[in-house]
């Protein structure tokens, strides 16, 4: 069965898309730690980060870097943090999280956002790509 992220990539489940290329898809996390919290996912369904082949792994890091650079341009924060966890969704994804304090990366502090805010942030990051 397809993962929820494959369904998002295929457009079967809606997402606030940030960017996409041949191998990767980036979209906003639906339960963000901070405004602009973005997930970057390989289109190929692989469960664990270090099981990606080297090219895909390096491509994921490179695409994540591009997205983070765009995020830095539009989101006021000290820096963009990166985490890979995957305990909830078994499909590799990089979390890119705008950070101001250590708590922002701890997945305990969540922010509530309205649909129009998700939409505006996704579009503003995409615009800077
Ligand atoms: P992890 O697997 O790294 O522990 O966490 C999975 C992440 O995916 C969580 O931050 C969660 O909010 C996010 N997530 C889970 N389901 C969806 C979804 O359907 N749409 C979006 N945009 N994010 C999701």
């Amino acid at each position: 069965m397809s993962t929820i992220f494959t369904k998002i990539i295929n457009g079967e489940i809606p997402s606030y898309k940030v960017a996409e290329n041949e191998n990767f898809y980036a979209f906003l996390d639906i339960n963000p730690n901070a405004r602009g919290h973005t997930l970057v996912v390989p289109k190929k369904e692989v469960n664990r980060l270090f099981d990606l082949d080297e090219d895909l792994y390096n491509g994921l890091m490179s695409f994540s870097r591009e997205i983070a650079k765009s995020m830095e341009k539009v989101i006021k924060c000290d820096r963009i943090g990166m985490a890979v966890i995957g305990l909830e969704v078994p499909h590799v994804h990089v979390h890119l999280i705008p950070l101001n304090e250590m708590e922002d990366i701890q997945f305990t502090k969540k922010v509530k956002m309205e649909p129009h805010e998700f939409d505006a942030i996704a579009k503003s990051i995409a615009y800077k790509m």
Side-chain angles (χ1 to χ4, degrees):
M1 203 180 77
S2 302
T3 67
I4 194 151
F5 290 164
T6 293
K7 289 182 180 151
I8 285 174
I9 292 161
N10 292 338
E12 294 162 39
I13 293 177
S15 67
Y16 296 97
K17 177 174 154 179
V18 169
E20 176 177 17
N21 69 12
E22 189 190 345
N23 292 320
F24 307 105
Y25 189 91
F27 58 105
L28 296 184
D29 194 299
I30 207 65
N31 188 20
N33 291 22
R35 285 166 196 281
H37 180 168
T38 298
L39 302 175
V40 190
V41 182
K43 291 183 178 177
K44 185 176 179 188
E45 257 186 28
V46 174
N47 183 352
R48 295 180 170 83
L49 176 69
F50 299 118
D51 287 342
L52 289 175
D53 71 46
E54 199 171 339
D55 282 350
L56 212 53
Y57 175 85
N58 289 335
L60 177 65
M61 291 303 136
S62 177
F63 193 60
S64 298
R65 179 173 178 272
E66 271 182 60
I67 308 272
K69 291 280 181 193
S70 301
M71 290 169 67
E72 280 172 351
K73 289 179 191 150
V74 294
I75 298 163
K76 211 167 159 243
C77 60
D78 182 66
R79 64 192 60 217
I80 305 298
M82 187 171 95
V84 178
I85 301 168
L87 291 173
E88 185 186 327
V89 180
H91 183 156
V92 173
H93 50 283
V94 170
H95 293 264
L96 297 175
I97 305 171
L99 302 180
N100 288 300
E101 53 192 49
M102 190 62 91
E103 269 189 16
D104 294 331
I105 198 96
Q106 284 173 356
F107 294 85
T108 44
K109 192 184 110 187
K110 295 289 181 178
V111 296
K112 173 98 181 80
M113 285 171 60
E114 298 299 326
H116 72 273
E117 296 176 287
F118 278 105
D119 194 46
I121 290 186
K123 285 183 176 143
S124 65
I125 300 168
Y127 183 70
K128 293 289 179 184
M129 288 290 292

